[in-house]
Amino acid sequence: MACASARQSTMFDRAHDAIVAARSRIDGRVLRTPLQPSPRLSAIAGVPVHLKLENRQTTGAFKLRGATNAILSLDAASRRRGVVTASTGNHGRALAHAAKAQGMRAVVCMSALVPTNKVEAIRALGAEVHIVGRSQDDAQAEVARLVERDGLAEVPPFDDLAVVAGQGTIGLEIVEDLPDVETVVIPLSGGGLAAGIAVAVKAARPQARIVGVSMARGAAMYESIKAGRPVAVEEVESLADSLGGGIGLDNRVTFELCRDLLTDTVLLSEDEIATGIRHAFTVEDEVVEGAGAVGIGALLAGKIRSKGPTALILSGRNIDPQAHARIVGGAGA
Ligand SMILES: *Cc1c(COP(=O)(O)O)cnc(C)c1O
């Protein structure tokens, strides 16, 4: 299927094979989410616009796909020992859930600065929580210690072929449900979601446009592509909190794929993200967190110019209910 073109690297072919394998591996363990037409957004854009509802995925975000595929890709001995991560966000939740579903040990390492409600949410999903130090670096050091001491397998949030492949199954579903898709709009942080979907969609439709959307504050992949190599960015608070963080200076998978496959990267202001959250709720009847609303926000801001059927990924719904109520009630950023 993957036709020869300068765009398509060995990495592309490896990722594509991994996505096809991931599809059958995670089938029945994650939801095949709906691709729902949006009459209002279609009228505004002048092309058919569809919403891929990963906000309705189990655990509230697409990350369950990558975490489940990574866990099921481990050998039997590693599975008996368990998995570890330092993510307290949607990846940590997903890994905790996926491990529990397999009866496996999962440890989530975090610093003492992580709020109690996040700690409890991870514990409620059945993971062990290790609280160490006062920074993300301290939490990451604890991950390394547990890999060494207990032989746990670290499952990274994005820069891992099995994780990218799990997220890429979204792209296979989009092409099945919307065979003439022309533009796919994807929230972009570390690039696991965008890389996976881009490979799956481009393998079937090489001419499709893949647009990444990040918040204007601290857009690590955007800055890295511009610089031609992974660069560090300053982390700033944003409504799209799930899009925060760097891409890793030693990035091995997602930088190359995003650099080669993204047609464009769009940056949004906090107000544009808030507008996306509000539209999702009041018009589409969907609860979506900031990161999940950037596609809608970009379209409403006139920053997506597609010429054909368009799919927007609503990537997650895990937003503090009070913040959500305040935003849909009309407050801006
Ligand atoms: C992790 C996440 C993203 C970004 O995914 P990457 O693979 O890091 O680019 C977008 N939206 C939500 C809700 C997420 O949890």
Side-chain angles (χ1 to χ4, degrees):
M1 282 248 266
C3 75
S5 102
R7 286 222 172 97
Q8 295 173 355
S9 54
T10 313
M11 183 73 87
F12 183 101
D13 293 326
R14 280 174 61 209
H16 185 247
D17 291 348
I19 292 166
V20 172
R23 181 86 192 267
S24 47
R25 201 178 285 125
I26 69 176
D27 183 43
R29 295 183 167 94
V30 306
L31 296 177
R32 189 193 194 289
T33 54
L35 187 69
Q36 180 167 282
S38 167
R40 185 80 71 87
L41 291 174
S42 302
I44 291 169
V47 295
V49 175
H50 299 253
L51 306 175
K52 181 64 170 165
L53 299 180
E54 284 296 305
N55 58 316
R56 297 199 200 163
Q57 185 57 263
T58 309
T59 69
F62 71 89
K63 290 229 173 47
L64 188 63
R65 294 176 185 256
T68 300
N69 188 50
I71 276 185
L72 296 175
S73 302
L74 294 172
D75 62 31
S78 302
R79 282 210 223 179
R80 275 193 298 277
R81 290 191 295 265
V83 289
V84 62
T85 184
S87 161
T88 59
N90 288 331
H91 174 66
R93 294 170 79 124
L95 194 67
H97 179 95
K100 186 165 191 220
Q102 297 302 311
M104 277 170 59
R105 179 180 184 206
V107 182
V108 179
C109 303
M110 54 187 81
S111 87
L113 301 180
V114 172
T116 329
N117 60 330
K118 278 203 170 182
V119 180
E120 287 316 316
I122 301 266
R123 274 210 186 103
L125 288 164
E128 273 171 54
V129 172
H130 283 210
I131 298 176
V132 269
R134 302 192 66 77
S135 73
Q136 186 64 16
D137 284 349
D138 293 335
Q140 196 55 50
E142 177 69 0
V143 170
R145 199 180 70 86
L146 291 173
V147 168
E148 184 68 24
R149 191 193 73 180
D150 295 359
L152 299 186
E154 180 179 2
V155 180
F158 54 86
D159 195 30
D160 176 275
L161 197 60
V163 170
V164 168
Q167 326 305 28
T169 59
I170 295 169
L172 299 180
E173 294 173 10
I174 290 173
V175 171
E176 280 170 14
D177 293 348
L178 190 66
D180 57 349
V181 62
E182 191 262 341
T183 297
V184 184
V185 182
I186 311 172
L188 176 64
S189 176
L193 180 64
I197 294 176
V199 169
V201 170
K202 287 231 169 226
R205 289 189 55 81
Q207 71 277 38
R209 298 167 65 244
I210 311 290
V211 180
V213 189
S214 298
M215 67 284 187
R217 304 177 175 178
M221 186 61 81
Y222 170 84
E223 297 296 344
S224 298
I225 291 174
K226 212 166 67 171
R229 66 189 155 83
V231 294
V233 293
E234 196 194 338
E235 259 204 71
V236 199
E237 252 192 73
S238 167
L239 279 177
D241 55 328
S242 294
L243 299 185
I247 69 165
L249 295 179
D250 55 352
N251 188 294
R252 292 172 303 118
V253 180
T254 61
F255 172 69
E256 178 183 329
L257 289 170
C258 288
R259 180 196 64 200
D260 293 353
L261 300 174
L262 292 184
T263 315
D264 196 10
T265 305
V266 166
L267 302 181
L268 292 196
S269 70
E270 294 298 297
D271 273 339
E272 288 164 342
I273 297 168
T275 301
I277 295 173
R278 196 176 304 123
H279 174 101
F281 188 72
T282 59
V283 180
E284 313 293 344
D285 213 8
E286 296 294 331
V287 174
V288 178
E289 61 178 282
V294 296
I296 295 178
L299 190 142
L300 292 174
K303 292 181 172 177
I304 306 291
R305 264 183 290 269
S306 52
K307 296 175 197 70
T310 297
L312 311 181
I313 316 297
L314 307 195
S315 53
R317 66 177 290 131
N318 294 322
I319 181 169
D320 169 57
Q322 281 173 8
H324 188 261
R326 184 168 47 76
I327 293 163
V328 300

